[in-house]
Amino acid sequence: MTFELLSPKLEKHFMRWYLHVDMDAFYASVEQALNPALKGKPVIVGGRSGRGVVTSASYEARKYGVRSAMPGFQARKLCPQGIFLPNRRKVYSEFSDKVFAILERYSPEVHALSIDEGVVDLTGTERLFGPPVKTAKEILARLERELALSASGGLSASRMVAKIAATLAKPHGFIFVPPGTERTFLSPLPVERIPGVGPKTHNELLRRGIKTIGDLFKHASLTRRYLDLEEERAGKRSHDHSIGNETTLDQPLKQLEQMEEVLWELVEEVGARLRREEVYARCITVKIRYANFKTITRSKTLNVPTCFDREIFETARELLRKNLAPEGPVRLLGVSASNLLSSGWDESLFDVQKRRSWEKLYSGIDRLRRKYGDEAISVATPHTKRQ
DNA sequence: TCTGGGGTCCTAGGACCC
DNA sequence: TCTGGGGTCCTAGGACCC
């Protein structure tokens, strides 16, 4: 906590202000905003199909113990009167854009951390909008007024403290942690409040007698490891982007041919997204989860990056065939593309020509699909006939 | 009618190179 | 006479987050 070392005058000079905004029960709230009849009701997004899980539960539903990531049948048992809705990702993503558009009215420095969470750097906005505390409250009120969505906020000179504060403020609250009071604020909190400390780490820390963040402070190296309060590094990390698609099968599969058909469908989606984002993948990874829940991933780095279904599929199929262990039936298959390049890598002339011709073919396919839907064109997998 | 789907980050070992 | 020491890439797995 750098500012504790500074004199009050310098402090003012270097002070940064971060507002962490976290939308409350985002997907469920969007559904309620779009359909006022759902207001005040136990709305549960996801968990409708047999193997589905809850993606978001309104606070009314949470009263019954429904939580996100909970299997659907369990949620139904806890809250039979719950209103179960399908996951409409596109709609939530549109609302997310509206949320961030509002945040961006208050600062050019807005970092989206997920679809429903972001950090607004309010440093230097005093002259325009007044004191940060006032601005923060105004932003939260504005989200509610313009989008009918409830949000929680945390304001601090440290991003991590701001995030913890926002979580603590939930639902529909705001916590300001004045500079210099961070330790006092954090010390009584249980260690699992720290982002990145999940069940495993929590247990490990408990085993060492560390329950609260205050306990953690007594161990300098552990504090550095889990509670990184340095601000300067933030945002420096190169984003190792990846694009993937996976599915849990209704029935665990035993036949390789059936698996390959699923694999092809997954690949088509991944390929389309790569082309939409105009990136090429150097690494293809296949994920296999067996009925006993054992999960493996196998990856291969390509000599020539690709975004073409046929090439991705060849690699994915090879990985699948080579690694299909005798663990029995497969309950989940996934394909993911990583090590993404946007273009301009060192290509041989042959590769350039091949890539151009593929690009022509696939841009035609993608265009037709956009116009007439995914079913407009289906491409035969190398081994199966599809109508 | 056990346990989704989208990701990121970190670690660790082996290959390979200088 | 035991066989250094980096750096980078690739692969696999696991923890964690929303």
Side-chain angles (χ1 to χ4, degrees):
Chain A
M1 264 156 283
T2 31
F3 16 80
E4 284 181 348
L5 307 171
L6 301 171
S7 75
K9 261 186 195 161
L10 282 173
E11 202 175 87
K12 197 155 193 190
H13 196 253
F14 289 108
M15 188 61 61
R16 305 205 67 88
W17 296 100
Y18 296 107
L19 171 66
H20 186 106
V21 176
D22 195 336
M23 307 306 292
D24 299 324
F26 187 54
Y27 297 176
S29 301
V30 169
E31 296 292 352
Q32 289 172 323
L34 289 172
N35 179 2
L38 296 174
K39 288 222 168 92
K41 306 241 170 80
V43 172
I44 297 163
V45 176
R48 300 206 313 163
S49 69
R51 289 180 186 264
V53 299
V54 173
T55 309
S56 173
S58 72
Y59 282 87
E60 294 82 5
R62 293 187 197 193
K63 274 189 220 144
Y64 298 90
V66 178
R67 297 280 178 272
S68 56
M70 173 181 279
F73 73 91
Q74 208 175 328
R76 223 170 267 282
K77 215 189 294 176
L78 287 168
C79 185
Q81 71 277 48
I83 301 164
F84 287 77
L85 301 173
N87 204 326
R88 298 195 288 165
R89 246 186 302 172
K90 222 171 163 184
V91 173
Y92 312 139
S93 163
E94 282 164 19
F95 262 79
S96 176
D97 292 344
K98 291 182 191 171
V99 168
F100 283 100
I102 289 180
L103 301 186
E104 276 156 13
R105 282 190 224 162
Y106 291 86
S107 166
E109 296 284 326
V110 175
H111 298 282
L113 300 175
S114 74
I115 194 166
D116 73 335
E117 238 183 303
V119 185
V120 189
D121 187 345
L122 291 178
T123 310
T125 63
E126 282 98 327
R127 222 173 292 174
L128 265 169
F129 299 114
V133 174
K134 177 180 156 266
T135 311
K137 289 181 178 168
E138 192 181 313
I139 291 173
L140 297 174
R142 190 157 200 160
L143 290 169
E144 181 144 34
R145 198 169 62 238
E146 294 186 14
L147 302 177
L149 292 176
S150 162
S152 298
L155 180 69
S156 161
S158 148
R159 282 177 223 251
M160 184 180 265
V161 173
K163 178 174 168 68
I164 294 172
T167 310
L168 225 60
K170 276 180 164 294
H172 203 248
F174 170 71
I175 292 177
F176 168 50
V177 183
T181 69
E182 290 84 0
R183 269 176 187 263
T184 322
F185 168 73
L186 292 173
S187 286
L189 301 178
V191 278
E192 66 264 35
R193 286 283 178 196
I194 300 172
V197 174
K200 302 273 169 163
T201 310
H202 182 209
N203 270 343
E204 181 59 24
L205 290 173
L206 279 187
R207 208 178 50 76
R208 305 177 64 154
I210 299 166
K211 273 198 211 139
T212 66
I213 300 181
D215 296 336
L216 192 71
F217 280 140
K218 292 173 203 149
H219 307 258
S221 69
L222 291 177
T223 303
R224 269 197 303 279
R225 179 158 170 197
Y226 295 115
L227 197 68
D228 187 359
L229 295 164
E230 297 298 318
E231 301 300 342
E232 295 315 312
R233 302 178 326 127
K236 286 231 175 78
R237 188 148 280 129
S238 73
H239 257 236
D240 198 16
H241 199 54
S242 71
I243 289 176
N245 190 205
E246 64 185 59
T247 188
T248 295
L249 308 153
D250 299 328
Q251 291 289 323
L253 298 182
K254 291 179 194 158
Q255 304 290 322
L256 181 65
E257 275 143 55
Q258 296 175 315
M259 292 180 209
E260 290 184 356
E261 259 182 69
V262 174
L263 203 63
W264 175 255
E265 279 161 22
L266 295 168
V267 164
E268 281 188 312
E269 170 78 30
V270 171
R273 283 177 62 198
L274 288 171
R275 295 190 293 280
R276 204 180 311 139
E277 300 198 16
E278 296 180 332
V279 287
Y280 293 78
R282 278 202 67 216
C283 181
I284 303 298
T285 303
V286 160
K287 180 167 165 182
I288 306 166
R289 173 168 292 154
Y290 298 98
N292 64 6
F293 231 72
K294 183 186 165 177
T295 308
I296 64 166
T297 62
R298 292 292 180 269
S299 57
K300 186 175 178 187
T301 297
L302 308 168
N303 292 323
V304 183
T306 186
C307 63
F308 307 119
D309 303 352
R310 187 57 71 100
E311 292 186 323
I312 301 168
F313 181 71
E314 296 296 333
T315 307
R317 182 172 59 176
E318 180 194 325
L319 288 167
L320 175 68
R321 289 189 177 175
K322 223 162 56 184
N323 295 288
L324 210 52
E327 310 274 346
V330 168
R331 85 179 325 259
L332 171 147
L333 280 173
V335 177
S336 124
S338 59
N339 211 334
L340 306 183
L341 292 96
S342 43
S343 72
W345 66 89
D346 199 7
E347 281 181 290
S348 72
L349 191 57
F350 169 77
D351 292 331
V352 172
Q353 285 169 352
K354 189 176 76 173
R355 180 166 63 76
R356 296 253 163 84
S357 69
W358 280 109
E359 264 166 7
K360 243 171 131 178
L361 169 65
Y362 277 102
S363 75
I365 293 177
D366 289 340
R367 211 167 38 239
L368 281 173
R369 288 213 169 117
R370 267 197 301 277
K371 209 163 164 188
Y372 302 109
D374 285 348
E375 303 309 315
I377 287 199
S378 68
V379 182
T381 57
H383 61 92
T384 7
K385 280 174 255 129
R386 297 156 57 82
Q387 34 85 51

